[in-house]
Amino acid sequence: MTGRFLPGGPTRAAPTEGSQLPRRMRVEPTPRPLRIAIVYSRSPLPMRRADQMTVANLISFLAARGHTVDLYALRTGGQITESHQSWLRDHCSQVRLFRHGRFRMALGMLQAVCTGRPLQVGIFRNGRQRQAVDRAARDGDYDIVYTYYLRSAEATRSIRQKRDGVSRRRPATFLAMQLSQSLNTRRILENASNVWTRTLYWYESRRVRQYETTVWRDFDRSVLIGQQDLDTINEECRRAGLPELDNVVFGAHGTDLDQFAVATADEVVPNRIVFSGVMRTPTNVQAVLWFAQKVWPTVRRAVPQAEFMIVGREPTGEVRALHGKDGITVTGTVPDPAVLIRSATVCINPMQAGGGMQNKLLEYLACAKPVVATTVANEGIGAPADCVAVTDDPAEFAQQTIRLLEDRAAQVRLGTAARSFVEEHWSWEGHFLRLERDFILALEELCGDEAAEDTLPPRRSRPGRSVA
């Protein structure tokens, strides 16, 4: 559905959806260049999802620091434009995209059912990708192999067991689990509204619990976003009588402080409430339905002129049905969600399920918006009370929303604190510098090298060929 696009006054020029490229990172060259393989379940461009945005920005960071990056990703459909290909060639030494169509996905899902693996692992399992990465790692091509998301673990989990005892050491391996899928699938199941969704997530939640508690042992480091994700996985390990994770490093996402900039006065539309996200994602659907059914009627009674905008591509039928009712607009695809976020008087994040962290919340805060959110929404970010109003009670959620719609001083106070919080804690550069440091520490440990602390990068691209 392509609905109305209501930017609400003069705006910055907006690119078309998916055309944005990661900006060049503001970092100095590293004193210790690494050879890094990134293994991923889809092309990072176009950046249509939060995970694509994270991987694309990681590549941008690593290239800016002077590391050599090879990308091993699946081509699952969708158009990659010439500008996307050019950007990847400029930032990666080698780009290998492996065809992975619907037949392979269906076969992988069937194999997952037969072997007891999570469906998401089966769907994205690709033998050619695994063989290519394994061969290069065995040949000593890399210092680091970085696997993004649990679903790609099968491509790299055997590397740690394979050693060439003669002359070549193996790379240090990282599994970026990011969020606990045990936590994520359980919450989706608890909030599922139909039999099909409940059945699917009942099956998947059982499988990811078993998989998550063991797969981490096949990697040198497991990357998680926050403590809640670690606590959940360790709880499942204890229940199963298995060792708890002892190789965790924390690696959150950042946000683009240039794209998600502070709104000018003429961009803001009075009494506009905005939710932004991909609207086919179950957690986002559950969030907006909860707000529309349990919170929005109270807000509209108190502020009859209020409007609620649901911003994001691919809305489901349940979400599309809200369009045009009681001041609700479902936009569908828009050129740049940041424009509509800046147009909001108040932004909301009423997530009921999910895990890890919420990029949309960071984007709201970066735009200096007053925000009302649930505990789940703020779990991975931990924004303080002077930045965001947090509540899980529908009546209180409504009252906080009404208060912020009507109180200009509170809008300014929360918005100013929100932008400062993101600038200090949530830049891409800050998080990736910490991840880079973890790369080097893992490599030093693997090599048995008692290198001095000053060999590590401070806490603060190579052009190449593309191989399809």
Side-chain angles (χ1 to χ4, degrees), residues 395-410:
E396 177 64 17
F397 203 106
Q399 291 307 312
Q400 291 288 356
T401 304
I402 293 165
R403 175 180 71 87
L404 291 174
L405 284 174
E406 296 178 335
D407 188 341
R408 174 59 182 163

Side-chain angles (χ1 to χ4, degrees), residues 22-25 27 36-40 42-45 51-73 87-95 97 146 428 432 435 439 461-462:
R23 62 172 174 79
R24 182 171 176 80
M25 296 287 167
V27 290
I36 301 170
I38 294 179
V39 182
Y40 183 40
R42 53 169 62 93
S43 169
L45 297 177
D51 54 293
Q52 290 173 302
M53 178 174 61
T54 300
V55 174
N57 278 284
L58 175 59
I59 292 171
S60 179
F61 167 83
L62 294 173
R65 287 284 281 170
H67 300 295
T68 299
V69 180
D70 287 355
L71 174 66
Y72 296 80
W87 188 91
L88 288 171
R89 285 193 297 267
D90 288 344
H91 290 76
C92 298
S93 177
Q94 181 176 218
V95 178
L97 299 179
Y146 184 80
W428 286 114
F432 289 152
L435 178 62
F439 285 169
S461 104
R462 298 190 179 188

Side-chain angles (χ1 to χ4, degrees), residues 14 36 74 80 85 127 136 142 151 183 206 208 223 268 281 333 339 345 360 376 382 395 417 430 433 443 461:
I36 301 170
L74 303 185
I80 303 177
Q85 295 179 42
Y142 301 116
R151 63 182 61 153
L183 179 62
R206 290 163 58 91
V208 295
V223 185
V268 179
T281 303
T333 299
V339 175
T345 301
K360 62 178 67 66
V376 170
L433 282 168
L443 195 59
S461 104

Side-chain angles (χ1 to χ4, degrees), residues 137-140 159 161-170:
R138 189 171 60 248
D139 289 344
I159 292 174
Q161 280 70 46
K162 296 181 179 179
R163 298 173 182 267
D164 181 344
V166 179
S167 60
R168 296 189 181 96
R169 60 173 170 78
R170 67 171 177 84

Side-chain angles (χ1 to χ4, degrees), residues 139-202:
D139 289 344
D141 289 355
Y142 301 116
D143 301 303
I144 303 292
V145 173
Y146 184 80
T147 306
Y148 195 84
Y149 267 8
L150 195 75
R151 63 182 61 153
S152 295
E154 292 301 311
T156 55
R157 67 183 302 181
S158 66
I159 292 174
R160 194 179 183 201
Q161 280 70 46
K162 296 181 179 179
R163 298 173 182 267
D164 181 344
V166 179
S167 60
R168 296 189 181 96
R169 60 173 170 78
R170 67 171 177 84
T173 57
F174 280 64
L175 176 60
M177 302 166 79
Q178 299 300 99
L179 53 85
S180 165
Q181 287 294 342
S182 299
L183 179 62
N184 187 39
T185 54
R186 185 179 74 229
R187 285 174 171 171
I188 295 175
L189 174 62
E190 291 170 350
N191 290 274
S193 59
N194 59 67
V195 173
W196 164 246
T197 303
R198 285 197 297 272
T199 302
L200 175 64
Y201 281 96
W202 174 83

Side-chain angles (χ1 to χ4, degrees), residues 48 52 73 104 107 136 149 172 198 229 281 285 335 369 428 448:
R48 292 166 61 87
Q52 290 173 302
R104 284 183 183 271
L107 182 60
Y149 267 8
R198 285 197 297 272
D229 300 289
T281 303
V285 173
K369 293 299 169 183
W428 286 114

Side-chain angles (χ1 to χ4, degrees), residues 261-264 267-269 272 274 338-348 361 363-372 387-388 404 408 410-411 414-416 418-419:
V262 179
T264 59
E267 287 182 297
V268 179
V269 177
R272 175 175 288 177
V274 168
V339 175
L340 283 175
I341 291 174
R342 288 195 296 270
S343 79
T345 301
V346 175
C347 289
I348 60 165
L361 179 56
E363 292 164 0
Y364 300 161
L365 299 176
C367 290
K369 293 299 169 183
V371 179
V372 186
C387 294
V388 57
L404 291 174
R408 174 59 182 163
Q411 294 170 19
L414 264 69
T416 301
R419 177 71 185 191

Side-chain angles (χ1 to χ4, degrees), residues 68-143:
T68 299
V69 180
D70 287 355
L71 174 66
Y72 296 80
L74 303 185
R75 189 158 192 170
T76 56
Q79 183 178 8
I80 303 177
T81 67
E82 178 55 40
S83 65
H84 296 148
Q85 295 179 42
S86 177
W87 188 91
L88 288 171
R89 285 193 297 267
D90 288 344
H91 290 76
C92 298
S93 177
Q94 181 176 218
V95 178
R96 300 198 65 178
L97 299 179
F98 301 88
R99 294 188 184 278
H100 196 79
R102 292 182 180 179
F103 176 76
R104 284 183 183 271
M105 291 183 179
L107 182 60
M109 184 164 60
L110 179 61
Q111 290 173 335
V113 172
C114 294
T115 59
R117 288 192 175 95
L119 294 177
Q120 59 188 280
V121 172
I123 288 171
F124 293 100
R125 187 174 183 179
N126 185 289
R128 291 179 61 209
Q129 182 192 43
R130 179 186 60 78
Q131 291 167 9
V133 179
D134 190 69
R135 186 182 307 113
R138 189 171 60 248
D139 289 344
D141 289 355
Y142 301 116
D143 301 303

